[in-house]
Amino acid sequence: MVPNGAGLHQLGSWTVIGLLVLFYGGTLLMTLFIGRKNENADGYMTAGNKVGFGISAGSMTATWIWASSMYASATSGYTYGISGPIHYGLWGALMILFIYPFGKRIRAVAPKAHTLAEVIYARHGKSSQLMLAGSNIVGSMVSITSNFIAGGALIALLSPFSFTQGILFIGGGILLYSLWSGFRASVLTDAAQVFAMLGAVVIIIPVVFFAAGGPDMFVTGASKLTPQQSNFFSSDAFMNQGAPYIAAVLAYAIGNQTIAQRLFAVREDLIKKTFVTATVGYGATIIGIGMMGVMALYAGILPLDGDTNNLIPQMAATYLSPVLLGIFLIMIVGALSSTADSDLSAMSSIMMADVYGQNIAKEGKANPKTMLFIGRITMIVATGAGLYFASGQLNILDLLVFVGALWGALVFPVIASFYWEKITNKAFTISVLAALACFIPVRFEWISMGGATGIVVDVLSVVGIGVVLGLMAFGFFGLKTAKIVAAVAMLAAAPFAIGVLHDYTVLSGSLVAYAVSTLVCYFMCFRNQATFDFDTIKERIGDFDNREEANHNTPGTLLEKKA
């Protein structure tokens, strides 16, 4: 066992500095090839809506793979056995796949959009737009903080540097290459980062596996596992990891601006190809890296300081040579950087398009130069805030859960807004607020779940199951199939769920959010006689820059060529 960090290898100070300079210096050099002379706001936010397949697929994969997802997959493997990483990685991968049918519809309705909230503004109005935009600001801020914490802890464990020095290195490096070209820098460097990550996983996982004991480890270590951990079809793993993740990731996929930004950037005819490829890349990487947690479980390794987030760097520091340890450091830094730069780009786009472009500037009078200034200032402020929150090494789990539930409350109103002409701004806003009002006391156990209250939560959770599976079916097979799938899912789940599901607060809280937002939104709208012409969205959303200026020497052309 390695209970107290005995036997852990470290890299020297100059080695770490050299690796970070190589990584961030290389990404900065890549961004210098992006044209600067005719800088424009639309390119800063969506790269001209013309990004090719290779760049788009790589960026989508890299953005979805962040340091916390790697750490969480390993934690799942250590907690639940071999089924843990599969639950985490497989469902997360499938959620990427479920984005593309909805994405094709959103792009068809708003081909020139910059943010999802911008489209919701054109569809409904300010309250719905700001609700979606605000949730993304909070979500991206939590994500950046989480990645800074992961990076600081990694550098502190693998080098003589402190946690504070580590987060300063990471934050400064990401801001350095993201600031000038925004989304274009993010999407271009993501592609390189994901190939580095995939290569590192292919090398590192087998090395750790054989160094930790190889196949014999699963024989000698089997006695250390509980019956649930040794069961591939563990109900404990499904109820505590698999099922909550199915619900949470669909919410993140639909409501997350980092995903929407890539949807609006890729060439419209490449949406399906891009998201299918990202599905495979994400699943393979996250399931693979999660197996390090399974190895730690079988090897009997105790997490350093009792923190399972230390498992991946601890395994690396225990079993890898200095050269491979350096490759591992770059792999994790690449994972957290690819997501953090995406969050910076997402927040800058929201401030540029949603806050300034549609709520501060007069209609049709937004100044592109002012927008660029706002976008860059947003990145600087967001990086500073992320470093401040990370310096306290805050426990951000509750914030992550809260943001995930907020997006869960938004999923049905957002999706329905692109298909059902009867949805109103009032219904959108009230349904989301009602869902949050029900979610919070359930998730944080502010009320007793005994008696009738528990039964009501279980019934709503069953409805939530129908909503989640129905929405998935709707994306691929249409409304009729979705109704059948939802009905069958609720009928099948009811006998097993009612009386039991409220004991799983993470799962039931998310399902209640789905159910309440769907029911309230539907019943507020189904009698509505007014209809909405979706063609008007194209007329309300377009380029902020002059069209000729945006097309002249546009950096988007570089991304097409690179693909």
Side-chain angles (χ1 to χ4, degrees):
M1 290 188 182
V2 187
N4 298 308
L8 298 184
H9 303 130
Q10 280 194 333
L11 299 171
S13 301
W14 288 109
T15 301
V16 172
I17 291 174
L19 289 171
L20 293 176
V21 169
L22 178 65
F23 178 82
Y24 287 120
T27 52
L28 176 62
L29 287 175
M30 290 179 66
T31 65
L32 294 180
F33 288 100
I34 298 175
R36 296 187 177 192
K37 291 183 180 180
N38 290 292
E39 196 69 359
N40 63 83
D42 296 301
Y44 197 86
M45 290 186 281
T46 56
N49 310 106
K50 296 178 181 179
V51 182
F53 166 68
I55 296 290
S56 295
S59 181
M60 183 65 247
T61 306
T63 297
W64 207 248
I65 299 171
W66 51 321
S68 293
S69 67
M70 288 184 169
Y71 287 13
S73 183
T75 296
S76 186
Y78 189 81
T79 305
Y80 301 112
I82 197 168
S83 65
I86 294 174
H87 275 305
Y88 193 96
L90 177 62
W91 301 126
L94 288 179
M95 289 310 104
I96 301 176
L97 187 65
F98 284 122
I99 298 170
Y100 97 77
F102 299 117
K104 291 179 68 175
R105 170 63 179 174
I106 294 170
R107 272 296 289 273
V109 169
K112 288 291 184 179
H114 308 88
T115 72
L116 191 59
E118 180 185 20
V119 188
I120 293 299
Y121 175 81
R123 174 67 176 88
H124 292 305
K126 286 187 178 182
S127 64
S128 299
Q129 175 209 26
L130 294 177
M131 187 172 291
L132 185 56
S135 72
N136 272 284
I137 291 290
V138 174
S140 288
M141 197 68 257
V142 170
S143 175
I144 287 174
T145 302
S146 175
N147 279 292
F148 286 175
I149 290 173
L154 175 72
I155 290 175
L157 185 64
L158 299 185
S159 77
F161 292 113
S162 67
F163 174 84
T164 301
Q165 291 170 320
I167 62 173
L168 288 173
F169 291 153
I170 297 297
I174 294 169
L175 182 62
L176 180 68
Y177 72 82
S178 301
L179 186 62
W180 180 263
S181 296
F183 175 76
R184 293 165 305 183
S186 173
V187 75
L188 187 60
T189 56
D190 279 353
Q193 289 164 357
V194 76
F195 292 127
M197 281 189 285
L198 293 174
V201 168
V202 169
I203 296 170
I204 287 171
I205 301 303
V207 171
V208 172
F209 175 70
F210 286 107
D216 292 341
M217 172 177 53
F218 292 109
V219 177
T220 58
S223 60
K224 301 181 178 70
L225 275 62
T226 66
Q228 284 289 328
Q229 288 174 329
S230 60
N231 181 6
F232 183 79
F233 299 100
S234 166
S235 59
D236 189 32
F238 180 75
M239 294 300 291
N240 288 293
Q241 176 65 68
Y245 202 56
I246 293 173
V249 177
L250 178 60
Y252 272 82
I254 297 300
N256 195 327
Q257 170 60 16
T258 62
I259 308 301
Q261 202 162 13
R262 281 147 185 78
L263 170 65
F264 293 130
V266 66
R267 267 176 36 199
E268 198 166 349
D269 59 313
L270 296 175
I271 291 175
K272 179 179 179 181
K273 189 177 179 181
T274 294
F275 282 90
V276 169
T277 303
T279 297
V280 176
Y282 172 87
T285 304
I286 292 302
I287 291 174
I289 202 73
M291 290 302 167
M292 292 183 76
V294 177
M295 294 179 219
L297 176 65
Y298 277 89
I301 290 177
L302 300 179
L304 193 64
D305 299 326
D307 186 357
T308 53
N309 283 330
N310 287 327
L311 279 171
I312 288 183
Q314 185 178 344
M315 290 289 285
T318 302
Y319 295 112
L320 294 180
S321 67
V323 172
L324 290 179
L325 195 59
I327 295 174
F328 168 81
L329 175 67
I330 293 298
M331 178 186 75
I332 301 298
V333 169
L336 65 89
S337 298
S338 64
T339 302
D341 65 32
S342 299
D343 286 310
L344 288 178
S345 298
M347 285 194 285
S348 65
S349 295
I350 290 171
M351 295 302 293
M352 291 167 71
D354 295 311
V355 177
Y356 170 75
Q358 292 180 321
N359 287 286
I360 296 177
K362 295 181 180 179
E363 187 172 353
K365 300 294 183 180
N367 186 326
K369 291 184 179 179
T370 302
M371 295 182 76
L372 284 168
F373 176 76
I374 290 172
R376 289 174 178 139
I377 290 297
T378 299
M379 284 196 178
I380 295 172
V381 172
T383 301
L387 291 172
Y388 173 76
F389 293 130
S391 65
Q393 295 183 262
L394 302 175
N395 183 343
I396 60 171
L397 178 59
D398 288 344
L399 279 175
L400 283 170
V401 171
F402 178 80
V403 172
L406 174 59
W407 285 336
L410 285 160
V411 170
F412 179 83
V414 168
I415 292 177
S417 294
F418 290 99
Y419 294 90
W420 195 22
E421 65 277 5
K422 293 186 176 184
I423 299 288
T424 65
N425 185 46
K426 184 178 180 180
F428 187 108
T429 304
I430 292 177
S431 63
V432 172
L433 293 176
L436 283 176
C438 293
F439 159 77
I440 292 173
V442 172
R443 170 59 186 89
F444 297 107
E445 301 180 81
W446 289 356
I447 55 176
S448 172
M449 289 297 162
T453 303
I455 298 299
V456 170
V457 169
D458 290 343
V459 170
L460 287 173
S461 298
V462 168
V463 174
I465 292 172
V467 171
V468 172
L469 297 180
L471 287 173
M472 292 178 180
F474 172 69
F476 287 100
F477 306 110
L479 184 59
K480 183 177 180 180
T481 301
K483 290 180 178 178
I484 294 172
V485 169
V488 171
M490 287 188 285
L491 290 173
F496 305 98
I498 296 177
V500 175
L501 209 54
H502 61 266
D503 291 330
Y504 300 91
T505 55
V506 175
L507 175 58
S508 59
S510 295
L511 291 175
V512 165
Y514 274 98
V516 172
S517 64
T518 301
L519 293 173
V520 173
C521 191
Y522 174 78
F523 284 111
M524 287 186 68
C525 297
F526 81 102
R527 292 182 179 274
N528 183 15
Q529 298 300 313
T531 58
F532 180 81
D533 182 3
F534 288 100
D535 288 336
T536 60
I537 293 180
K538 295 179 183 178
E539 301 170 5
R540 298 174 182 176
I541 296 178
D543 291 332
F544 286 99
D545 294 278
N546 178 273
R547 188 60 177 265
E548 292 183 4
E549 180 184 343
N551 287 335
H552 178 64
N553 194 32
T554 175
T557 305
L558 171 67
L559 296 181
E560 292 179 82
K561 291 177 180 178
K562 289 287 183 183

